[in-house]
Amino acid sequence: MGALATVDADKRDVIVSRNPLTGAVLGELRESTAVEIRDAVSRARGAQGAWGKLSVKERCSRVARFRDAVVARAEELCDLISAETGKTPAEALSMEVMVIADLATYFIKRAPKILAPESISLHLLKNRGSYLHFQPRGVVGIISPWNFPFGIATGEVIMALLAGNGVVLKPSEVTPLIALKTKELYDASGMPTELFQVVPGRGPAGAALIDSGIDYCIFTGSTATGKKVGAACGERLIPVALELGGKAPAIVCADADLDRTAKALVWGAFANQGQVCVSVERVYAHQAVHDELVQKICAEVDKLRPNDDTGSMTWERQTEIVEERIASAVAAGAKVRTGGKRRGTGLAFAPTVLTECRQDMDVMRKEIFGPVMPIMKVRDEEEAMTLANDSQLGLMGYVFTADRQKGKRLAEKLETGTAMVNDCLLTFGAPETPWGGVKQSGVGVTHSAHGLRDLCQSRHVNYDRIALKKELWWYPYSDKVYKQTLKMMRWIFR
Ligand code: NAD
């Protein structure tokens, strides 16, 4: 066992899952030990042998049964997601369960084509042919966060299975019950039980998973943990996709439709109580429209109904971070225009709008991951772009303008994995688009054809299309061949 595998049987701990709105205990479970995690990986590997040999089409038709189970038991899933995370049932359905039903359907239809061998036409060596073929990696280890405990983890599980892999999932310790429910639905759908395993636990269980012989790792979580995971995978030469933190800027141009922009920003900042890696975390509003935009945003926030539109935050520590960010911004001169504190029972937090923010404040520089929208007035679009790109993080960025061409031009200048014009958040729900960050927001992509192929080894075969007796570049070397090659080179690269 490697140095990172620190979960020992005698140090086993209990994880208590609670409803963040009521504090009620939803369930208790034991953390997996390092030995159990290693065993789960080896059982998944055992089942993967036969699974990986099935045609992609056959895998798709079997995974479709799992998708059907998700659709059939959607309400049960939404109730549990809502209870364990505090999000509204509407968000549990539209942002998690529906996203998975769609992602599964999309890849079930298209995986055979995406994973079919791809021919490479050789531009010089015309007597030879090349193609790529996509082989399962083996066992994929998935380490996931608590903010979309079903929508993130299950999409990765489904894509890894379609690619022919076994999967071991280490869910967040904050939301373990949803992962266990996913496994229950998976088993009930008739999929090979051993092929997909869930190993609940805290950080050390994630470290133990990386140390258990997995062949690929998908990590979604904070940048700080992502660096440790990247280092642990690097040490073992395990390829890894890191989906990390964000600090999404929104640039509001002077020509933006302010009614639409205000509604979009309010949704983009406060959906899922701001606990979205691509939440609107800082707004740069052109000075010509700043005051009117702030008024419209506050008016939209006033219309939000507690419980129906905005649920609760998911865990206490994150709620404290939000309070710290607001307090430090206020101490540095920001003004609270609405919200600013917890409301009602549990971890529900009022949607908060801050103005008079400056780029040097923590609230503009560090991830908030809560329902806070800091706004800063800027001179022009150029200043907005400079400030938007003045960040270590680069997951998502937004531009609001009535001029579509200008919107695209500005979006291309944003140093982010994805940039959207005149809307927020939703490309996570578009499985054909790549999901991933630049800078310290991550490495690699999930979703899209690229994400599916990354779950395979891309192997290259090169073969003879025309068999000659002898190739020009073989032994013996001679002056004659040298001169012929030189002549040919000068003719080709003339
Ligand atoms: P986190 O980094 O605290 O934990 C993520 C997961 O890593 C958990 O399962 C945790 O138990 C595990 N873990 C902790 N220490 C580990 C270690 N040393 N080795 C292996 N695993 C370890 O993140 P979180 O609080 O669960 O999630 C919030 C963060 O995730 C935010 O920063 C958010 O932006 C980010 N996030 C990113 C995306 C994305 O797609 N880029 C999506 C959702 C969330």
Side-chain angles (χ1 to χ4, degrees):
M1 206 68 60
L4 278 161
T6 53
V7 193
D8 299 325
D10 55 347
K11 289 188 203 147
R12 257 186 192 216
D13 211 352
V14 172
I15 296 176
V16 181
S17 168
R18 288 178 189 279
N19 180 321
L21 207 55
T22 64
V25 173
L26 298 171
E28 286 188 11
L29 57 153
R30 296 212 151 268
E31 275 199 278
S32 311
T33 65
V35 172
E36 286 164 346
I37 293 169
R38 193 163 276 261
D39 181 53
V41 171
S42 107
R43 282 184 289 127
R45 188 178 303 290
Q48 188 272 331
W51 179 254
K53 288 191 185 76
L54 295 176
S55 68
V56 182
K57 209 166 159 215
E58 180 58 33
R59 283 183 226 140
C60 289
S61 72
R62 299 197 189 188
V63 170
R65 293 185 217 151
F66 176 40
R67 186 268 323 266
D68 294 346
V70 167
V71 174
R73 292 170 67 179
E75 279 170 292
E76 179 187 336
L77 268 169
C78 288
D79 288 349
L80 181 61
I81 294 169
S82 184
E84 203 174 36
T85 62
K87 71 182 70 183
T88 62
E91 287 178 348
L93 178 62
S94 63
M95 295 184 162
E96 302 223 45
V97 179
M98 168 107 174
V99 162
I100 290 308
D102 180 56
L103 174 144
T105 307
Y106 178 84
F107 284 110
I108 284 166
K109 273 194 198 148
R110 291 165 181 84
K113 198 164 167 210
I114 296 169
L115 298 181
E118 181 185 307
S119 147
I120 302 172
S121 152
L122 301 183
H123 74 289
L124 203 55
L125 302 173
K126 291 296 180 192
N127 62 326
R128 301 199 61 81
S130 266
Y131 65 90
L132 292 178
H133 64 119
F134 302 98
Q135 295 301 324
R137 288 193 180 266
V139 177
V140 174
I142 296 176
I143 302 172
S144 59
W146 46 263
N147 61 329
F148 291 102
F150 185 72
I152 291 176
T154 315
E156 293 164 353
V157 169
I158 287 172
M159 290 179 69
L161 291 171
L162 290 174
N165 300 291
V167 180
V168 180
L169 166 66
K170 205 298 281 173
S172 168
E173 57 273 38
V174 183
T175 51
L177 297 185
I178 291 155
L180 294 178
K181 175 63 75 182
T182 309
K183 171 71 170 144
E184 183 192 318
L185 263 62
Y186 169 92
D187 286 345
S189 70
M191 287 285 290
T193 305
E194 306 279 274
L195 187 66
F196 166 44
Q197 313 270 338
V198 176
V199 289
R202 297 185 171 81
L209 177 58
I210 296 167
D211 197 38
S212 293
I214 56 172
D215 303 289
Y216 190 76
C217 179
I218 305 181
F219 171 82
T220 309
S222 62
T223 296
T225 311
K227 287 181 183 177
K228 291 185 203 162
V229 167
C233 288
E235 191 70 26
R236 293 159 182 77
L237 288 180
I238 300 168
V240 59
L242 300 171
E243 299 284 3
L244 310 178
K247 186 73 194 161
I251 296 176
V252 182
C253 301
D255 64 353
D257 171 343
L258 294 188
D259 289 321
R260 182 185 161 90
T261 303
K263 284 186 201 319
L265 290 176
V266 165
W267 183 64
F270 303 131
N272 207 38
Q273 284 262 286
Q275 301 165 122
V276 186
C277 51
V278 293
S279 283
V280 173
E281 288 241 349
R282 48 203 173 112
V283 176
Y284 299 105
H286 193 289
Q287 57 182 346
V289 294
H290 171 275
D291 295 356
E292 194 182 345
L293 179 71
V294 169
Q295 260 177 19
K296 286 182 188 289
I297 286 172
C298 291
E300 288 300 326
V301 172
D302 273 352
K303 293 184 209 159
L304 296 177
R305 298 158 305 165
N307 303 327
D308 290 329
D309 294 326
T310 61
S312 156
M313 292 195 66
T314 300
W315 68 307
E316 179 62 33
R317 176 66 196 125
Q318 194 60 44
T319 316
E320 288 164 6
I321 291 172
V322 168
E323 288 169 333
E324 281 164 32
R325 295 274 185 276
I326 296 172
S328 92
V330 169
K335 297 270 174 299
V336 179
R337 301 295 287 256
T338 180
K341 51 185 186 299
R342 300 181 193 216
R343 69 170 171 212
T345 53
L347 302 182
F349 204 94
T352 300
V353 177
L354 302 177
T355 56
E356 282 146 83
C357 295
R358 291 189 320 272
Q359 186 74 353
D360 61 355
M361 293 177 178
D362 273 2
V363 81
M364 297 293 277
R365 303 202 71 83
K366 295 184 180 168
E367 191 176 34
I368 307 167
F369 219 56
V372 182
M373 190 199 304
I375 306 177
M376 179 172 170
K377 190 189 282 191
V378 292
R379 205 172 46 246
D380 52 24
E381 284 146 19
E382 204 175 315
E383 185 187 17
M385 185 58 70
T386 305
L387 295 172
N389 285 337
D390 173 28
S391 173
Q392 287 298 304
L393 299 173
L395 191 56
M396 175 69 98
Y398 305 109
V399 177
F400 289 85
T401 169
D403 177 344
R404 187 169 300 143
Q405 291 314 318
K406 181 171 85 180
K408 289 200 238 171
R409 244 181 2 254
L410 291 175
E412 284 178 25
K413 286 189 184 161
L414 280 170
E415 295 165 2
T416 54
T418 301
M420 293 184 72
V421 182
N422 293 331
D423 205 345
C424 301
L425 311 183
L426 61 82
T427 66
F428 186 79
E432 59 275 60
T433 62
W435 187 258
V438 299
K439 298 181 175 173
Q440 299 210 359
S441 284
V443 174
V445 288
T446 53
H447 291 186
S448 79
H450 297 290
L452 187 61
R453 283 184 167 187
D454 279 355
L455 287 157
C456 294
Q457 290 176 343
S458 300
R459 298 201 205 143
H460 174 206
V461 173
N462 180 265
Y463 64 99
D464 54 333
R465 293 172 65 232
I466 305 162
L468 303 173
K469 284 252 176 294
K470 174 186 175 308
E471 300 293 350
L472 184 65
W473 45 88
W474 289 355
Y475 295 128
Y477 300 146
S478 69
D479 251 17
K480 190 176 154 207
V481 171
Y482 179 86
K483 281 178 186 149
Q484 275 176 355
T485 308
L486 192 64
K487 209 169 147 192
M488 186 176 74
M489 187 194 83
R490 289 201 166 125
W491 182 79
I492 293 172
F493 304 110
R494 66 192 176 279

